[in-house]
Amino acid sequence: MAIPPGSKASLPSAIKKIAPQVLAVQEVDHFLPRSNSVNQIQEIAKAMKAVDWAFAPAIIGTPGEKWRALKDSDESIITAASKAPTKTEIAKGKVNGGYGIAFASTIPVTAYERIKLGRSLIGMPLLVPGGEDGRGKPKFIYVQDEPRVALVAHLENGWSIISTHLSFVPGLNVAQLKKLKRWAEKSAAQTGNKVAIMGDLNLPKSLPVLGSKWNSLATQNTYPSWGAKIQFDYLLVPEVPAGGFQGLPISTTGISDHLPISVLLT
């Protein structure tokens, strides 16, 4: 959810434009200086009038700059019930800001879980948009992978939603997705809940459903947001809902280099 430099869009305006009941987001900052030291998922939750929100840090610090893996003493899932830092602590830089994935919902959440997915010890060159606004000539840069996690929200309505951001390293992202599918199927058998995997899977079209019975309820190109040519973002389910579903039109939010995907379950 990296906000393009110079963007005049705001989190609240973007969220109101999407108007979700349930929202899974990736590349979320939590009290990092580069995003004005705010709790982004809390701001999102306020805008959508969510009753529950949670943040699962993948790392402590800023990706691409200075960061470290989580320690046992770090909070692995931060929710509205967690102790919030004071304004003085934030101003003095005494908060261990993080980066990761998050979830917000207007439907009550009965429990959260965190799944560790590991990381690649070897990075790789990635083709990224150039220029300050992200619309310049693409260029290759070497990027180190960071730890990957999934955040599970068990909803009061009988759904369990898994929000994740998989590795960009080929092969590893497929293994991570298979692990999540196995976990989801086991969880569904134990709880009786319907399950869905939502997020940036870093896999192009069809790969997330090949070799499995899972279905993608969204099939639109999502990256880059200013001229989407490839799909990296999905909403996967093991079975198409009996009541059917409707894919909603995609709209540019101005706050991300990915387009949001929206699905209405009928």
Side-chain angles (χ1 to χ4, degrees):
M1 196 186 63
I3 300 176
S7 172
K8 296 181 179 180
S10 67
L11 279 176
S13 64
I15 298 307
K16 289 176 181 177
K17 191 174 183 180
I18 303 171
Q21 284 187 297
V22 171
L23 184 68
V25 285
Q26 300 78 44
E27 297 187 306
V28 180
D29 285 358
H30 183 259
F31 295 114
L32 290 182
R34 69 174 185 177
S35 50
N36 299 318
S37 297
V38 301
N39 182 346
Q40 287 190 326
I41 189 58
Q42 185 177 49
E43 296 294 309
I44 288 171
K46 287 179 182 179
M48 61 185 280
K49 297 181 180 179
V51 296
D52 277 302
W53 61 263
F55 169 73
I59 60 173
I60 300 300
T62 304
E65 298 178 20
K66 185 178 180 180
W67 63 270
R68 64 169 173 81
L70 267 68
K71 300 176 181 178
D72 291 340
S73 57
D74 294 313
E75 199 167 5
S76 61
I77 300 178
I78 299 167
T79 70
S82 301
K83 182 181 178 181
T86 65
K87 292 182 178 179
T88 300
E89 289 173 329
I90 296 172
K92 292 185 177 181
K94 294 184 177 182
V95 180
N96 288 327
Y99 164 89
I101 56 176
F103 183 85
S105 176
T106 60
I107 301 166
V109 177
T110 58
Y112 289 106
E113 293 187 72
R114 175 190 174 100
I115 305 171
K116 294 181 180 180
L117 299 174
R119 76 179 183 102
S120 171
L121 297 179
I122 301 174
M124 62 180 294
L126 293 182
L127 184 64
V128 299
E132 290 187 358
D133 61 357
R135 300 177 186 236
K137 184 178 180 180
K139 60 182 179 180
F140 280 99
I141 61 172
Y142 184 82
V143 180
Q144 289 281 2
D145 197 19
E146 70 244 8
R148 305 290 174 160
V149 299
L151 175 64
V152 186
H154 299 288
L155 303 183
E156 192 176 75
N157 68 353
W159 277 90
S160 293
I161 308 297
I162 303 172
S163 173
T164 193
H165 183 192
L166 302 185
S167 173
F168 52 75
V169 177
L172 177 58
N173 44 25
V174 174
Q176 290 171 335
L177 180 57
K178 287 182 177 179
K179 179 178 180 178
L180 286 182
K181 287 179 177 179
R182 291 193 300 269
W183 189 98
E185 289 166 353
K186 183 178 179 180
S187 177
Q190 292 174 339
T191 65
N193 280 8
K194 293 170 283 189
V195 292
I197 297 174
M198 301 169 63
D200 178 356
L201 306 186
N202 269 318
L203 289 164
K205 278 187 175 181
S206 77
L207 282 181
V209 298
L210 288 178
S212 75
K213 297 180 180 179
W214 284 64
N215 304 272
S216 177
L217 300 187
T219 56
Q220 304 97 325
N221 291 339
T222 59
Y223 181 84
S225 57
W226 48 86
K229 296 178 176 62
I230 193 168
Q231 180 176 6
F232 282 140
D233 307 274
Y234 298 84
L235 196 167
L236 302 178
V237 292
E239 296 180 359
V240 175
F245 69 96
Q246 176 185 351
L248 301 179
I250 285 181
S251 58
T252 303
T253 63
I255 65 167
S256 175
D257 55 353
H258 287 242
L259 291 173
I261 54 173
S262 299
V263 173
L264 175 64
L265 300 182
T266 56

